Coordinates of all heavy atoms in Angstrom, one line a residue:
M1 N 32.0 -30.8 34.4 CA 31.5 -29.5 34.8 C 30.8 -29.7 36.1 O 29.9 -30.6 36.3 CB 30.5 -29.0 33.7 CG 29.8 -27.7 34.1 SD 28.6 -27.1 32.9 CE 29.6 -26.6 31.6
N2 N 31.1 -28.9 37.1 CA 30.5 -29.0 38.4 C 29.2 -28.2 38.5 O 28.9 -27.4 37.5 CB 31.5 -28.7 39.5 CG 32.0 -27.3 39.5 OD1 31.3 -26.4 38.9 ND2 33.2 -27.1 40.0
R3 N 28.5 -28.3 39.5 CA 27.2 -27.6 39.7 C 27.4 -26.0 39.7 O 26.6 -25.3 39.0 CB 26.6 -28.0 41.0 CG 25.3 -27.4 41.3 CD 24.7 -28.0 42.5 NE 23.3 -27.5 42.7 CZ 23.0 -26.7 43.7 NH1 23.9 -26.3 44.6 NH2 21.8 -26.3 43.8
R4 N 28.4 -25.5 40.3 CA 28.7 -24.1 40.4 C 29.0 -23.5 39.0 O 28.5 -22.5 38.6 CB 29.9 -23.8 41.3 CG 30.2 -22.3 41.4 CD 31.2 -22.0 42.5 NE 30.5 -22.2 43.8 CZ 31.2 -22.5 44.9 NH1 32.5 -22.6 44.9 NH2 30.5 -22.6 46.0
T5 N 29.8 -24.2 38.2 CA 30.1 -23.8 36.8 C 28.8 -23.8 35.9 O 28.6 -22.9 35.1 CB 31.2 -24.7 36.2 OG1 32.3 -24.6 37.1 CG2 31.6 -24.2 34.9
F6 N 28.1 -24.9 36.1 CA 26.8 -25.0 35.3 C 25.9 -23.9 35.6 O 25.3 -23.2 34.7 CB 26.1 -26.4 35.7 CG 24.8 -26.5 35.0 CD1 24.7 -26.8 33.6 CD2 23.6 -26.3 35.7 CE1 23.5 -26.9 33.0 CE2 22.4 -26.4 35.1 CZ 22.3 -26.7 33.8
I7 N 25.6 -23.5 36.9 CA 24.7 -22.4 37.2 C 25.3 -21.1 36.7 O 24.5 -20.3 36.2 CB 24.5 -22.4 38.8 CG1 23.7 -23.6 39.2 CG2 23.8 -21.1 39.2 CD1 23.5 -23.8 40.7
K8 N 26.6 -20.9 36.9 CA 27.2 -19.6 36.5 C 27.1 -19.5 34.9 O 26.7 -18.4 34.4 CB 28.7 -19.7 36.9 CG 29.4 -18.4 36.7 CD 30.8 -18.6 37.3 CE 31.7 -17.4 37.0 NZ 33.0 -17.6 37.6
T9 N 27.4 -20.6 34.2 CA 27.3 -20.5 32.7 C 25.9 -20.4 32.2 O 25.6 -19.6 31.4 CB 27.9 -21.8 32.1 OG1 29.2 -22.0 32.6 CG2 27.9 -21.8 30.6
S10 N 24.9 -21.1 32.8 CA 23.5 -21.0 32.4 C 22.9 -19.7 32.7 O 22.1 -19.1 31.9 CB 22.7 -22.2 33.0 OG 22.7 -22.1 34.4
T11 N 23.3 -19.1 33.8 CA 22.8 -17.8 34.2 C 23.3 -16.7 33.2 O 22.6 -15.9 32.8 CB 23.2 -17.4 35.6 OG1 22.7 -18.4 36.5 CG2 22.7 -16.0 36.0
T12 N 24.6 -16.8 32.9 CA 25.2 -15.9 32.0 C 24.6 -16.0 30.6 O 24.2 -15.0 30.0 CB 26.7 -16.1 31.9 OG1 27.3 -16.0 33.2 CG2 27.4 -15.1 30.9
L13 N 24.4 -17.2 30.1 CA 23.8 -17.4 28.8 C 22.3 -17.0 28.7 O 21.9 -16.4 27.8 CB 23.9 -18.9 28.4 CG 25.4 -19.3 28.0 CD1 25.4 -20.8 27.8 CD2 25.9 -18.5 26.9
S14 N 21.6 -17.3 29.8 CA 20.2 -16.9 29.8 C 20.0 -15.4 29.9 O 19.1 -14.8 29.2 CB 19.4 -17.6 30.9 OG 19.9 -17.3 32.1
T15 N 20.9 -14.7 30.6 CA 20.9 -13.3 30.7 C 21.2 -12.6 29.4 O 20.6 -11.7 28.9 CB 21.8 -12.8 31.8 OG1 21.5 -13.3 33.0 CG2 21.8 -11.2 31.9
L16 N 22.2 -13.2 28.7 CA 22.7 -12.7 27.4 C 21.5 -12.9 26.4 O 21.2 -12.0 25.6 CB 23.9 -13.4 27.0 CG 24.5 -13.0 25.6 CD1 24.9 -11.6 25.6 CD2 25.7 -13.9 25.3
A17 N 20.9 -14.1 26.4 CA 19.8 -14.3 25.4 C 18.6 -13.4 25.7 O 18.1 -12.9 24.7 CB 19.4 -15.8 25.6
A18 N 18.3 -13.2 26.9 CA 17.1 -12.3 27.2 C 17.4 -10.9 26.8 O 16.6 -10.2 26.3 CB 16.8 -12.4 28.7
T19 N 18.7 -10.4 27.1 CA 19.0 -9.0 26.8 C 19.1 -8.8 25.3 O 18.6 -7.8 24.8 CB 20.4 -8.7 27.4 OG1 20.4 -9.0 28.8 CG2 20.8 -7.3 27.2
T20 N 19.7 -9.8 24.6 CA 19.8 -9.7 23.1 C 18.4 -9.7 22.5 O 18.1 -8.9 21.6 CB 20.6 -10.9 22.5 OG1 21.9 -10.9 23.2 CG2 20.8 -10.7 21.1
N21 N 17.5 -10.5 23.0 CA 16.1 -10.6 22.5 C 15.4 -9.4 22.8 O 14.6 -8.8 22.0 CB 15.4 -11.8 23.1 CG 14.2 -12.3 22.3 OD1 14.0 -11.8 21.2 ND2 13.4 -13.1 22.9
L22 N 15.6 -8.8 24.0 CA 14.9 -7.6 24.4 C 15.3 -6.4 23.5 O 14.4 -5.7 23.1 CB 15.3 -7.3 25.9 CG 14.6 -6.0 26.5 CD1 13.1 -6.2 26.6 CD2 15.3 -5.8 27.8
L23 N 16.6 -6.3 23.2 CA 17.0 -5.2 22.3 C 16.6 -5.4 20.9 O 16.2 -4.4 20.2 CB 18.6 -5.2 22.4 CG 19.2 -4.7 23.7 CD1 20.7 -4.8 23.6 CD2 18.7 -3.4 24.1
A24 N 16.5 -6.6 20.4 CA 16.1 -6.9 19.0 C 14.6 -6.7 18.8 O 14.1 -6.1 17.8 CB 16.4 -8.3 18.6
D25 N 13.7 -7.0 19.8 CA 12.3 -7.0 19.7 C 11.7 -5.6 20.0 O 10.6 -5.3 19.6 CB 11.6 -8.1 20.5 CG 11.9 -9.5 20.0 OD1 12.3 -9.5 18.8 OD2 11.8 -10.4 20.7
N26 N 12.4 -4.8 20.8 CA 11.8 -3.5 21.2 C 12.7 -2.4 20.8 O 13.4 -1.8 21.7 CB 11.7 -3.6 22.8 CG 10.7 -4.6 23.2 OD1 9.7 -4.8 22.6 ND2 10.9 -5.2 24.4
P27 N 12.6 -2.0 19.6 CA 13.4 -0.8 19.2 C 12.8 0.4 19.9 O 11.7 0.5 20.4 CB 13.2 -0.7 17.7 CG 11.9 -1.4 17.5 CD 11.8 -2.5 18.5
R28 N 13.6 1.4 20.1 CA 13.2 2.6 20.8 C 11.9 3.2 20.1 O 11.9 3.4 18.9 CB 14.3 3.7 20.8 CG 15.5 3.2 21.7 CD 16.6 4.2 21.6 NE 16.2 5.4 22.4 CZ 16.5 5.6 23.6 NH1 17.2 4.7 24.3 NH2 16.2 6.8 24.2
R29 N 10.9 3.5 20.9 CA 9.7 4.0 20.3 C 9.8 5.5 20.1 O 10.4 6.2 20.9 CB 8.5 3.6 21.1 CG 8.4 4.1 22.4 CD 7.2 3.6 23.2 NE 7.2 4.2 24.5 CZ 6.2 4.4 25.2 NH1 5.0 3.9 24.8 NH2 6.2 4.9 26.4
K30 N 9.1 6.1 19.2 CA 9.1 7.5 18.9 C 8.1 8.2 19.8 O 6.9 7.7 19.8 CB 8.8 7.7 17.4 CG 8.7 9.2 17.0 CD 8.3 9.3 15.6 CE 8.2 10.8 15.3 NZ 7.0 11.2 14.8
L31 N 8.5 9.2 20.5 CA 7.5 10.0 21.2 C 6.8 10.9 20.3 O 7.4 11.6 19.4 CB 8.2 10.8 22.3 CG 8.8 9.9 23.4 CD1 9.6 10.8 24.4 CD2 7.8 9.1 24.1
R32 N 5.5 11.0 20.4 CA 4.7 11.9 19.5 C 4.3 13.1 20.3 O 3.9 13.0 21.5 CB 3.5 11.2 19.0 CG 4.0 10.0 18.2 CD 2.8 9.3 17.5 NE 3.2 8.0 17.0 CZ 2.7 6.9 17.3 NH1 1.7 6.8 18.1 NH2 3.2 5.8 16.8
K33 N 4.2 14.3 19.6 CA 3.9 15.5 20.3 C 2.4 15.9 19.9 O 2.1 15.9 18.7 CB 4.8 16.7 19.9 CG 6.2 16.5 20.3 CD 7.1 17.6 20.0 CE 7.3 17.7 18.5 NZ 8.1 18.7 18.0
G34 N 1.6 16.3 20.9 CA 0.3 16.8 20.6 C 0.1 18.1 21.2 O 0.8 18.5 22.1
I35 N -0.9 18.8 20.8 CA -1.2 20.2 21.4 C -2.7 20.3 21.6 O -3.5 19.8 20.8 CB -0.7 21.3 20.4 CG1 -0.8 22.7 21.1 CG2 -1.3 21.2 19.1 CD1 0.0 23.8 20.3
M36 N -3.1 21.0 22.6 CA -4.5 21.3 22.9 C -5.0 22.4 21.9 O -4.4 23.4 21.8 CB -4.7 21.7 24.3 CG -6.1 21.9 24.8 SD -6.1 22.3 26.5 CE -7.8 22.5 26.7
Y37 N -6.1 22.1 21.3 CA -6.7 23.0 20.3 C -6.9 24.4 20.8 O -6.6 25.4 20.1 CB -8.0 22.5 19.8 CG -8.6 23.3 18.7 CD1 -8.2 23.2 17.4 CD2 -9.6 24.3 18.9 CE1 -8.7 23.9 16.3 CE2 -10.1 25.0 17.9 CZ -9.7 24.9 16.6 OH -10.2 25.6 15.6
A38 N -7.3 24.6 22.1 CA -7.6 25.9 22.7 C -6.3 26.8 22.8 O -6.4 28.0 22.9 CB -8.2 25.7 24.0
T39 N -5.1 26.2 22.7 CA -3.9 26.9 22.8 C -3.4 27.5 21.5 O -2.4 28.2 21.5 CB -2.8 26.1 23.5 OG1 -2.5 25.0 22.6 CG2 -3.2 25.6 24.8
I40 N -4.1 27.1 20.4 CA -3.6 27.6 19.1 C -4.2 29.0 18.8 O -5.4 29.2 18.6 CB -4.1 26.6 18.0 CG1 -3.7 25.2 18.3 CG2 -3.6 27.1 16.6 CD1 -4.3 24.2 17.4
E41 N -3.4 30.0 18.9 CA -3.9 31.4 18.8 C -3.8 31.9 17.4 O -2.8 32.4 16.9 CB -3.0 32.3 19.7 CG -3.2 32.1 21.2 CD -4.6 32.6 21.6 OE1 -5.1 33.6 21.0 OE2 -5.2 32.0 22.6
M42 N -4.8 31.6 16.6 CA -5.0 32.1 15.2 C -6.4 32.6 15.1 O -7.2 31.9 14.5 CB -4.6 31.0 14.2 CG -3.2 30.5 14.3 SD -2.9 29.1 13.2 CE -3.4 29.7 11.6
K43 N -6.7 33.8 15.5 CA -8.0 34.4 15.5 C -8.6 34.4 14.1 O -7.9 34.8 13.1 CB -8.0 35.8 16.1 CG -7.4 35.9 17.5 CD -8.5 36.0 18.5 CE -8.0 36.3 19.8 NZ -8.2 35.3 20.8
G44 N -9.8 33.9 14.0 CA -10.5 34.0 12.7 C -10.2 32.9 11.7 O -10.7 32.8 10.6
S45 N -9.2 32.0 12.1 CA -8.8 30.9 11.2 C -9.7 29.7 11.3 O -10.3 29.5 12.4 CB -7.4 30.5 11.5 OG -6.5 31.6 11.3
S46 N -9.9 29.0 10.3 CA -10.7 27.8 10.3 C -10.0 26.7 11.0 O -8.7 26.8 11.3 CB -11.0 27.3 8.9 OG -9.8 26.9 8.2
V47 N -10.7 25.6 11.3 CA -10.1 24.5 12.0 C -9.0 23.9 11.1 O -7.9 23.6 11.6 CB -11.2 23.4 12.3 CG1 -10.5 22.1 12.9 CG2 -12.2 24.0 13.3
L48 N -9.3 23.8 9.8 CA -8.3 23.2 8.9 C -7.0 24.1 8.9 O -5.9 23.5 8.9 CB -8.9 23.1 7.5 CG -7.9 22.5 6.4 CD1 -7.4 21.2 6.8 CD2 -8.6 22.5 5.1
D49 N -7.1 25.4 8.8 CA -6.0 26.3 8.8 C -5.1 26.1 10.1 O -3.9 26.1 10.1 CB -6.4 27.8 8.7 CG -6.9 28.1 7.3 OD1 -6.6 27.3 6.4 OD2 -7.7 29.1 7.2
K50 N -5.8 26.0 11.2 CA -5.1 25.8 12.5 C -4.4 24.4 12.5 O -3.2 24.3 12.9 CB -6.1 25.9 13.7 CG -6.5 27.3 13.9 CD -7.4 27.4 15.2 CE -7.9 28.8 15.4 NZ -8.6 28.9 16.6
F51 N -5.1 23.4 12.0 CA -4.4 22.1 11.9 C -3.2 22.1 11.0 O -2.2 21.4 11.3 CB -5.5 21.0 11.5 CG -6.3 20.4 12.5 CD1 -6.8 21.2 13.6 CD2 -6.7 19.1 12.5 CE1 -7.6 20.7 14.6 CE2 -7.5 18.6 13.5 CZ -7.9 19.4 14.6
K52 N -3.3 22.8 9.9 CA -2.2 22.9 9.0 C -1.0 23.6 9.7 O 0.2 23.2 9.5 CB -2.6 23.7 7.7 CG -3.4 22.9 6.8 CD -3.8 23.7 5.5 CE -4.6 22.9 4.6 NZ -5.1 23.7 3.4
A53 N -1.3 24.6 10.5 CA -0.2 25.3 11.2 C 0.4 24.4 12.2 O 1.6 24.4 12.4 CB -0.8 26.6 11.8
V54 N -0.4 23.6 12.9 CA 0.1 22.7 13.9 C 1.0 21.6 13.2 O 2.1 21.3 13.7 CB -1.1 22.0 14.6 CG1 -0.7 20.8 15.4 CG2 -1.8 23.0 15.5
K55 N 0.6 21.1 12.1 CA 1.4 20.2 11.3 C 2.7 20.8 10.9 O 3.8 20.1 11.1 CB 0.6 19.7 10.1 CG 1.3 18.7 9.3 CD 1.3 17.3 9.9 CE 1.8 16.3 8.9 NZ 1.7 14.9 9.4
A56 N 2.7 22.0 10.4 CA 3.9 22.7 10.0 C 4.8 22.9 11.2 O 6.1 23.0 11.0 CB 3.5 24.0 9.3
A57 N 4.3 23.1 12.3 CA 5.1 23.3 13.5 C 5.7 22.0 14.1 O 6.5 22.1 15.0 CB 4.3 24.0 14.6
G58 N 5.4 20.9 13.5 CA 6.0 19.6 13.9 C 5.3 18.8 14.9 O 5.8 17.8 15.4
F59 N 4.0 19.1 15.1 CA 3.2 18.3 16.0 C 2.6 17.1 15.3 O 2.4 17.1 14.1 CB 2.1 19.1 16.6 CG 2.5 20.1 17.7 CD1 2.9 21.4 17.3 CD2 2.7 19.7 19.0 CE1 3.3 22.3 18.2 CE2 3.1 20.6 19.9 CZ 3.4 21.9 19.6
D60 N 2.3 16.0 16.0 CA 1.8 14.8 15.5 C 0.3 14.7 15.7 O -0.4 13.9 15.1 CB 2.4 13.6 16.1 CG 3.9 13.6 15.8 OD1 4.3 13.7 14.6 OD2 4.7 13.5 16.8
G61 N -0.3 15.5 16.7 CA -1.7 15.3 17.0 C -2.2 16.6 17.6 O -1.5 17.5 18.0
V62 N -3.6 16.6 17.7 CA -4.3 17.7 18.3 C -5.3 17.2 19.3 O -5.9 16.1 19.0 CB -5.0 18.6 17.2 CG1 -5.8 19.7 17.8 CG2 -4.0 19.1 16.2
E63 N -5.5 17.9 20.4 CA -6.6 17.6 21.3 C -7.7 18.5 21.1 O -7.7 19.6 21.5 CB -6.1 17.7 22.8 CG -7.1 17.4 23.8 CD -6.6 17.7 25.2 OE1 -5.9 18.8 25.4 OE2 -6.9 17.0 26.1
P64 N -8.8 18.1 20.3 CA -9.9 18.9 20.0 C -10.8 19.1 21.3 O -10.7 18.3 22.2 CB -10.6 18.2 18.9 CG -10.3 16.8 19.1 CD -8.9 16.7 19.7
M65 N -11.6 20.2 21.2 CA -12.5 20.5 22.3 C -13.9 19.8 22.0 O -14.2 19.6 20.9 CB -12.7 22.0 22.4 CG -11.4 22.8 22.5 SD -10.5 22.4 24.0 CE -11.4 23.2 25.2
S66 N -14.6 19.5 23.1 CA -15.9 18.7 22.9 C -17.0 19.5 22.2 O -17.8 18.9 21.6 CB -16.4 18.3 24.3 OG -16.7 19.4 25.1
H67 N -16.9 20.8 22.2 CA -18.0 21.6 21.6 C -17.8 21.9 20.1 O -18.6 22.6 19.5 CB -18.1 22.9 22.4 CG -16.9 23.8 22.3 ND1 -15.8 23.6 23.1 CD2 -16.6 24.8 21.4 CE1 -14.9 24.5 22.8 NE2 -15.3 25.2 21.8
M68 N -16.7 21.4 19.5 CA -16.4 21.7 18.1 C -17.2 20.8 17.2 O -17.8 19.8 17.6 CB -14.9 21.4 17.9 CG -14.0 22.3 18.7 SD -12.2 21.8 18.5 CE -11.9 22.2 16.8
S69 N -17.3 21.3 15.9 CA -18.1 20.5 14.9 C -17.3 19.3 14.6 O -16.2 19.3 14.1 CB -18.2 21.4 13.7 OG -18.6 20.6 12.6
Q70 N -18.0 18.1 14.8 CA -17.3 16.8 14.6 C -16.9 16.7 13.2 O -15.8 16.2 12.9 CB -18.3 15.7 15.0 CG -17.6 14.4 14.9 CD -18.5 13.2 15.3 OE1 -19.7 13.4 15.5 NE2 -18.0 12.0 15.4
A71 N -17.8 17.0 12.2 CA -17.4 16.9 10.8 C -16.2 17.7 10.4 O -15.3 17.3 9.7 CB -18.6 17.2 10.0
E72 N -16.2 19.0 10.9 CA -15.1 19.9 10.5 C -13.8 19.3 11.1 O -12.7 19.4 10.5 CB -15.4 21.3 11.1 CG -14.5 22.3 10.6 CD -14.9 23.7 11.0 OE1 -15.8 23.9 11.8 OE2 -14.3 24.7 10.5
V73 N -13.8 18.8 12.3 CA -12.6 18.3 13.0 C -12.1 17.1 12.3 O -10.9 16.9 12.0 CB -12.9 18.0 14.5 CG1 -11.7 17.3 15.1 CG2 -13.1 19.3 15.2
L74 N -13.0 16.2 11.9 CA -12.6 14.9 11.2 C -12.1 15.2 9.9 O -11.1 14.6 9.4 CB -13.8 14.0 11.1 CG -14.3 13.3 12.4 CD1 -15.5 12.5 12.2 CD2 -13.1 12.5 13.0
D75 N -12.7 16.2 9.2 CA -12.2 16.6 7.8 C -10.7 17.1 8.0 O -9.9 16.8 7.1 CB -13.1 17.6 7.2 CG -14.4 17.0 6.7 OD1 -14.5 15.8 6.6 OD2 -15.3 17.8 6.5
A76 N -10.5 18.0 9.0 CA -9.2 18.5 9.2 C -8.1 17.4 9.6 O -7.0 17.5 9.1 CB -9.2 19.6 10.3
F77 N -8.6 16.5 10.4 CA -7.7 15.4 10.7 C -7.3 14.6 9.4 O -6.1 14.3 9.2 CB -8.3 14.4 11.7 CG -8.1 14.8 13.1 CD1 -9.2 14.8 14.0 CD2 -6.9 15.1 13.7 CE1 -9.1 15.2 15.3 CE2 -6.7 15.5 15.0 CZ -7.8 15.5 15.8
H78 N -8.3 14.3 8.6 CA -8.0 13.6 7.4 C -7.1 14.4 6.4 O -6.2 13.8 5.7 CB -9.3 13.1 6.7 CG -10.0 12.1 7.4 ND1 -9.5 10.9 7.7 CD2 -11.3 12.1 7.9 CE1 -10.4 10.2 8.4 NE2 -11.5 10.9 8.6
A79 N -7.4 15.7 6.3 CA -6.6 16.5 5.4 C -5.2 16.7 5.8 O -4.3 16.9 4.9 CB -7.3 17.9 5.2
T80 N -4.9 16.7 7.1 CA -3.5 17.0 7.5 C -2.8 15.7 8.0 O -1.6 15.8 8.3 CB -3.6 18.0 8.7 OG1 -4.4 17.4 9.8 CG2 -4.1 19.3 8.3
S81 N -3.4 14.6 8.1 CA -2.9 13.3 8.6 C -2.4 13.5 10.1 O -1.6 12.7 10.5 CB -1.8 12.8 7.8 OG -0.6 13.5 7.8
L82 N -3.0 14.4 10.8 CA -2.7 14.5 12.3 C -3.6 13.5 12.9 O -4.6 13.0 12.4 CB -3.1 15.9 12.8 CG -2.1 17.0 12.4 CD1 -2.7 18.4 12.8 CD2 -0.8 16.9 13.0
A83 N -3.3 13.2 14.2 CA -4.1 12.2 14.9 C -4.7 12.9 16.2 O -4.1 13.8 16.7 CB -3.2 11.1 15.4
P84 N -5.8 12.4 16.6 CA -6.4 13.0 17.8 C -5.5 12.5 19.0 O -5.3 11.3 19.2 CB -7.8 12.4 17.9 CG -7.9 11.3 16.9 CD -6.7 11.5 16.0
A85 N -5.1 13.5 19.8 CA -4.2 13.2 20.9 C -5.1 12.7 22.1 O -4.7 11.8 22.8 CB -3.4 14.4 21.3
S86 N -6.2 13.3 22.3 CA -7.2 13.0 23.3 C -8.3 14.0 23.0 O -8.3 14.7 22.1 CB -6.7 13.1 24.7 OG -6.3 14.4 25.0
V87 N -9.4 13.9 23.9 CA -10.5 14.9 23.7 C -10.6 15.6 25.0 O -10.7 15.0 26.1 CB -11.8 14.2 23.3 CG1 -12.9 15.2 23.2 CG2 -11.6 13.4 22.0
C88 N -10.7 17.0 24.9 CA -10.9 17.8 26.1 C -12.4 18.1 26.2 O -13.1 18.5 25.2 CB -10.1 19.1 26.0 SG -10.2 20.1 27.4
C89 N -13.0 17.9 27.4 CA -14.4 18.1 27.6 C -14.5 19.2 28.7 O -13.9 19.1 29.8 CB -15.0 16.8 28.0 SG -16.7 16.9 28.5
E90 N -15.4 20.2 28.5 CA -15.6 21.3 29.5 C -16.1 20.8 30.8 O -15.9 21.4 31.8 CB -16.4 22.3 28.9 CG -17.9 21.9 28.6 CD -18.7 22.9 27.8 OE1 -18.1 23.6 26.9 OE2 -19.9 23.1 28.1
T91 N -16.8 19.6 30.8 CA -17.4 19.2 32.1 C -16.4 18.6 33.0 O -16.6 18.4 34.2 CB -18.5 18.1 31.8 OG1 -17.9 17.0 31.2 CG2 -19.6 18.7 31.1
H92 N -15.2 18.3 32.6 CA -14.2 17.6 33.5 C -13.7 18.6 34.5 O -13.2 18.2 35.5 CB -13.1 17.0 32.7 CG -12.0 17.9 32.2 ND1 -12.2 18.6 31.0 CD2 -10.8 18.3 32.7 CE1 -11.1 19.4 30.8 NE2 -10.3 19.2 31.8
W93 N -13.8 19.9 34.3 CA -13.4 20.8 35.3 C -14.4 20.9 36.5 O -14.0 21.0 37.6 CB -13.2 22.2 34.7 CG -12.1 22.3 33.7 CD1 -12.2 22.4 32.4 CD2 -10.7 22.2 34.0 NE1 -11.0 22.4 31.8 CE2 -10.0 22.2 32.8 CE3 -10.0 22.0 35.2 CZ2 -8.6 22.2 32.7 CZ3 -8.6 21.9 35.0 CH2 -7.9 22.0 33.8
K94 N -15.6 20.7 36.2 CA -16.7 20.7 37.2 C -16.8 19.4 37.9 O -17.0 19.3 39.1 CB -18.0 21.1 36.6 CG -19.1 21.3 37.6 CD -20.4 21.9 36.9 CE -21.0 20.8 36.0 NZ -22.3 21.2 35.5
N95 N -16.6 18.3 37.2 CA -16.8 16.9 37.7 C -15.6 16.1 37.3 O -15.7 15.2 36.5 CB -18.0 16.2 37.2 CG -19.3 17.0 37.6 OD1 -19.4 17.4 38.7 ND2 -20.2 17.1 36.7
P96 N -14.4 16.3 38.0 CA -13.2 15.5 37.6 C -13.4 14.0 38.0 O -14.3 13.7 38.8 CB -12.1 16.1 38.5 CG -12.8 16.8 39.6 CD -14.1 17.2 39.1
L97 N -12.6 13.1 37.4 CA -12.7 11.7 37.7 C -12.5 11.4 39.2 O -13.0 10.4 39.7 CB -11.7 10.9 36.9 CG -12.0 11.0 35.4 CD1 -10.8 10.3 34.6 CD2 -13.3 10.3 35.0
S98 N -11.8 12.3 39.9 CA -11.5 12.0 41.3 C -12.6 12.6 42.2 O -12.5 12.5 43.4 CB -10.2 12.7 41.7 OG -10.3 14.1 41.4
D99 N -13.7 13.1 41.6 CA -14.8 13.6 42.4 C -15.5 12.5 43.2 O -15.8 11.5 42.6 CB -15.8 14.3 41.4 CG -16.9 15.1 42.2 OD1 -16.6 15.4 43.4 OD2 -17.9 15.4 41.6
Q100 N -15.7 12.8 44.5 CA -16.4 11.8 45.3 C -17.9 11.8 45.3 O -18.5 10.9 45.7 CB -15.9 12.0 46.8 CG -14.4 11.8 47.0 CD -13.9 10.4 46.7 OE1 -14.6 9.4 47.1 NE2 -12.8 10.2 46.1
A101 N -18.5 12.9 44.8 CA -19.9 13.0 44.8 C -20.6 12.2 43.8 O -20.1 11.8 42.8 CB -20.3 14.5 44.7

């Protein structure tokens, strides 16, 4: 085997091994859908009722608002098995992370 054949063969084999390993170890991940709590239009409904509707609509998480009752939100998360997508805070509009002041 000459040098050129050795490099060609080893490159092909290492590429094949890396690709096969990459495909085996990293299955396609599932994208999860979340919704901002303020966009759920159900006037007069409790947090739990809104979370149940979100779950029934096929969402995986909710972004609660900062002024909500923590206990009520946590109870609704536990009852519906939804996950917190993130937390929305009313102060971020006035002082965004990009604010220079």
Side-chain angles (χ1 to χ4, degrees):
M1 178 183 285
N2 62 25
R3 183 173 184 251
R4 180 173 288 157
T5 305
F6 174 76
I7 291 173
K8 190 175 174 182
T9 305
S10 61
T11 303
T12 303
L13 289 175
S14 60
T15 302
L16 180 63
T19 306
T20 305
N21 200 12
L22 180 69
L23 293 175
D25 292 340
N26 295 324
R28 294 178 70 93
R29 63 183 183 159
K30 179 184 179 236
L31 293 178
R32 297 184 194 126
K33 297 182 289 183
I35 187 169
M36 185 177 181
Y37 184 81
T39 63
I40 306 167
E41 290 290 328
M42 293 175 58
K43 303 260 188 242
S45 297
S46 69
V47 173
L48 180 58
D49 289 339
K50 289 183 180 185
F51 275 39
K52 285 179 180 178
V54 166
K55 180 76 171 184
F59 287 92
D60 301 304
V62 177
E63 178 186 40
M65 307 298 287
S66 62
H67 64 277
M68 298 174 68
S69 164
Q70 183 180 9
E72 191 175 10
V73 170
L74 289 174
D75 288 344
F77 275 130
H78 291 301
T80 59
S81 72
L82 289 170
S86 64
V87 178
C88 184
C89 175
E90 62 188 38
T91 60
H92 77 276
W93 294 110
K94 186 171 68 171
N95 299 318
L97 293 174
S98 60
D99 190 18
Q100 297 295 322

